[in-house]
Amino acid sequence: MSTVSTPMVRSAPLINRDRVIDWLGIAPFIIFSLLFLIIPTLYLVAGAFLTPEGDFTLKNIGDLFTPSIMSAYWLSIRISVASALGGALIGFFLAWAVVLGGLPASVRSTLLTFSGVASNFAGVPLAFAFLATLGRTGLVTVFLREGFGFNLYGTGFNLLSFLGLTITYIYFQIPLMVLILTPALDGMKKEWREASQILGATNRQYWTMVALPILWPSLLGTTLLLFANAFGAIATAFALTGSSLPIVPILLYAQIRGDVLHNANLGYAIALGMIVITGVSNVLYLMLRMRAERWQK
């Protein structure tokens, strides 16, 4: 009687080692997001509906509609809109010049490198730079007064004002616009311009009927991102103006810090309002970006 040996069948491992390594690679990011983004956000959302004793209440949400808080929101929205529009307009023309304007490649690489640095240059260094440049004794202010007899502050300009803070914000809004819009301009195909020229379209008609309709999701989406970027900024504004310009982030800081104002739960409600506004802006940006990416495929 002969016996037939059957080959040993190895069972598949219960744990995929490569998959485990992949998850370990992103584990620091997940932990960082949980500790510094998700859990704090959930904590302040819950705190917005609680009293200091821990009881449920809607009073904190109702207090958001008091005149002082509403005026702070409105001031922040105005500054964010103005700096976003200014940064988007100037940044668009800069990106267009280096991508489609026929400038040397060295200019493009230099501008993109500078934009990567300048888009993150904020806080106390940026505030000091503008005070040293456009302050009452700043370099440009003194140069205009001594060299041309022009008193900048005699015209009513004040760096510690709505206009001054908007100009300061535009400094980091422009390079951010350049960085985000450059890939969209790179995605413009030469065939589209050639086809429009064959059909007899002028350069103006190409931009109004072909290029801008394709670019508008990227333009509008990036402008929304710039709005959210300015709306949540506090370090630059606080270092530049202190508490003389009561925008929402400074008001929130005053509520949580508790030197004069101290209502942490109201501060959580103010933060919740900021999250809602910036969240809507970011969601619209993502929707517009997905629409813009259809043309680049």
Side-chain angles (χ1 to χ4, degrees), residues 25 133 138 205 231:
T133 304
Q205 290 173 329
F231 190 78

Side-chain angles (χ1 to χ4, degrees), residues 159-174:
L159 187 61
L160 312 181
S161 65
F162 170 86
L163 178 60
L165 186 58
T166 300
I167 294 174
T168 307
Y169 277 8
I170 287 177
Y171 178 87
F172 57 78
Q173 299 281 53
I174 293 173

Side-chain angles (χ1 to χ4, degrees), residues 38-69:
I38 298 176
I39 294 177
T41 301
L42 295 176
Y43 178 78
L44 68 88
V45 169
F49 296 94
L50 297 176
T51 64
E53 293 76 22
D55 300 323
F56 178 81
T57 182
L58 293 176
K59 184 178 183 302
N60 298 322
I61 304 299
D63 289 343
L64 293 179
F65 298 94
T66 57
S68 60
I69 296 179

Side-chain angles (χ1 to χ4, degrees), residues 265-297:
N265 294 93
L266 178 58
Y268 297 153
I270 295 173
L272 177 60
M274 294 181 62
I275 290 174
V276 171
I277 293 175
T278 55
V280 170
S281 179
N282 285 324
V283 168
L284 292 175
Y285 161 71
L286 292 174
M287 294 172 60
L288 290 169
R289 190 184 70 175
M290 289 188 295
R291 179 168 182 174
E293 288 175 350
R294 297 177 185 175
W295 292 96
Q296 299 177 2
K297 294 182 179 178

